[in-house]
Amino acid sequence: MIDIDASTLEQLRAAKRIVFFSGAGISAESGVPTFRDDLTGLWAQYDPMELATLEAFNRQPDLVWGWYEWRRQRVRSAQPNDAHIALAQWQELLGPERLLCITQNVDDLHERAGCQQVLHLHGNLFASFCAQCHLPYAADDSHPDHSIEQIAEAGQLIMPPQCSSCQGLIRPGVVWFGESLDSQILQESFEHSADCDVFIAIGTSGVVQPAATLPNIAAESGAYVMQINPQETPIDMVAQCNIRASAAQALPILFEQLSGDAAYGL
Ligand code: BV8
Ligand code: ZN
C-alpha cells in the first residue's frame, strides 16, 4: 500500500515548477534492463561500465556496437509503462513550462509516452554518429539493421556501419564513461534543479556523476525533494519524502491523488 503523506501532497499542489529526474529504474517495468541488472548472454561476463566507454569501442567495435544494437532492439520492442504514461499526463495537465523531465536514460520511452522537451543527460540510443567526423548516422529505424535473432546468431558481435562521408566507424549517440556531457543540457539541468519547488528522483541509483549532483542542487536551493525507488540510494540523504515502491506503482497513484482534486493544476 502506497501512502503519500498530506504534507507531500500539499507541496505538490502548491508547486509552480516540478522537476522529474529519472534513471534506468523507470524503464525497468517496460522490460528494459537497468544498468546494474545482470546482463544476459554474452554480456553476462562484461561490466557495462567497461562496455560503455570509448576505449572499449576502439578496442572491440563489434562487441560494443553489437551491445547497443541489442539494446536498441530491446527498447524498440518495449512499451512505455504506467510510470512514463502518468508522467506525460501530469505534464499535459500542468504544461511543459511547469513540469520538466530530466533523464539519464538513453531510451525514448518518455517521448513515446508523450512527454515533451525531455532533457537527455546521457544521450540517446537512436542518435548514432560518425566517430571521426561526427556526421549524424541516419539509421532507418523502421527497418532496423539487425533483428534480435541476427544479433544472437552473430554472437552479438556486429561491426558498426561506416560513415558515408569519411568511412569512419559509426558510434552510438550516448555519453560514455569518461566523456563529457553536453554542456548546454547539463547547464539547463542545473538551472532547472536550482529553480524548482519540488524535485522528484525516480528509479536512479544516484551514483553516476555529474548527474547525481542534481538532487543536492535542488535540496540546497530549498526545493522539496522526493524519491521513488524500492531501494535505498545516496539520494535518501536529501529526500524529505521517500516512496519505497516501483515507479509504475507509485507514479499513477501520486498523479491520481492530485488530479482528483478539481483545483489542481490551476
Ligand atoms: C563526466 C550512457 C567529465 C551510456 C551513461 C565526479 C565528477 C565527474 C565524473 C565522475 C565523478 N566521479 C566519477 C566520475 C566518472 C563517471 C562516474 O560517474 N562514475 C561513477 C560510476 C562513479 N562519470 C563520467 O564518466 C561522466 N563523464 O563526468 O565527464 C569527465 C571527463 C573525463 C574524465 C573524467 C570526467 C559520464 C557519465 C555518463 C555515463 N553514461 N549512460 C549507456 O547507457 O550505455 S550512465 C548509465 O548509468 C546509464 O545512463 C544509466 O542511466 C546510468 C546508471 O544510473 P541509473 O540510471 O541510476 O541506473 P542504475 O541501474 O544504476 O539504477 C537503477 C535504479 O533503479 C536502482 O536504484 C534500482 O533500485 C531502481 N529501480 C529498479 N527497478 C525499479 C527501480 N526504481 C523504480 N521502479 C522500478 N521498477
Ligand atoms: Zn565521418
Side-chain angles (χ1 to χ4, degrees):
M1 174 56 191
I2 295 168
D3 184 21
I4 295 141
D5 62 271
S7 69
T8 295
L9 290 173
E10 263 324 295
Q11 292 282 348
L12 284 165
R13 282 197 188 92
K16 284 283 162 276
R17 274 181 303 286
I18 300 175
V19 166
F20 272 87
F21 172 56
S22 68
I26 198 171
S27 297
E29 284 151 296
S30 296
V32 177
T34 65
F35 225 66
R36 282 157 182 74
D37 268 349
D38 48 355
L39 290 158
T40 54
L42 179 77
W43 296 300
Q45 72 256 32
Y46 292 90
D47 172 357
M49 306 277 292
E50 283 300 305
L51 284 182
T53 63
L54 182 61
E55 294 69 31
F57 180 73
N58 289 335
R59 201 175 44 249
Q60 284 189 282
D62 54 353
L63 174 67
V64 174
W65 184 258
W67 183 46
Y68 282 94
E69 278 288 86
W70 176 74
R71 289 174 62 186
R72 268 188 286 276
Q73 284 298 351
R74 293 291 298 260
V75 168
R76 281 193 189 98
S77 55
Q79 294 306 321
N81 63 53
D82 290 346
H84 297 109
I85 293 164
L87 181 47
Q89 289 169 335
W90 199 337
Q91 186 190 57
E92 193 182 359
L93 181 68
L94 294 188
E97 68 292 345
R98 286 184 59 196
L99 189 150
L100 171 71
C101 177
I102 301 173
T103 189
Q104 299 170 91
N105 298 342
V106 292
D107 64 48
D108 59 353
L109 295 175
H110 279 304
E111 289 86 348
R112 283 166 53 194
C115 219
Q116 314 277 327
Q117 300 169 31
V118 179
L119 291 182
H120 279 265
L121 288 168
H122 297 154
N124 167 351
L125 274 178
F126 301 97
S128 304
F129 61 89
C130 171
Q132 299 293 105
C133 72
H134 291 228
L135 186 72
Y137 173 67
D140 173 1
D141 279 338
S142 52
H143 297 292
D145 294 347
H146 300 90
S147 67
I148 282 261
E149 295 73 26
Q150 284 168 323
I151 296 169
E153 268 156 41
Q156 290 108 359
L157 299 174
I158 298 181
M159 272 310 280
Q162 283 184 288
C163 171
S164 54
S165 159
C166 76
Q167 282 67 52
L169 289 182
I170 300 300
R171 58 158 284 178
V174 299
V175 178
W176 276 326
F177 288 97
E179 292 187 322
S180 299
L181 281 66
D182 176 293
S183 51
Q184 193 192 329
I185 292 176
L186 188 58
Q187 189 51 36
E188 265 184 69
S189 301
F190 285 155
E191 285 164 8
H192 285 290
S193 300
D195 182 31
C196 65
D197 304 303
V198 176
F199 182 98
I200 306 178
I202 180 164
T204 178
S205 56
V207 297
V208 175
Q209 297 292 352
T213 54
L214 296 185
N216 300 57
I217 291 171
E220 282 149 26
S221 313
Y224 187 79
V225 177
M226 298 175 60
Q227 178 176 217
I228 299 174
N229 192 325
Q231 310 286 334
E232 256 186 62
T233 74
I235 301 171
D236 285 46
M237 286 189 292
V238 292
Q240 286 130 299
C241 168
N242 252 322
I243 302 175
R244 286 269 180 268
S246 84
Q249 285 170 336
L251 214 45
I253 290 172
L254 198 54
F255 179 54
E256 218 172 278
Q257 293 200 6
L258 287 166
S259 54
D261 169 346
Y264 184 59
L266 298 183

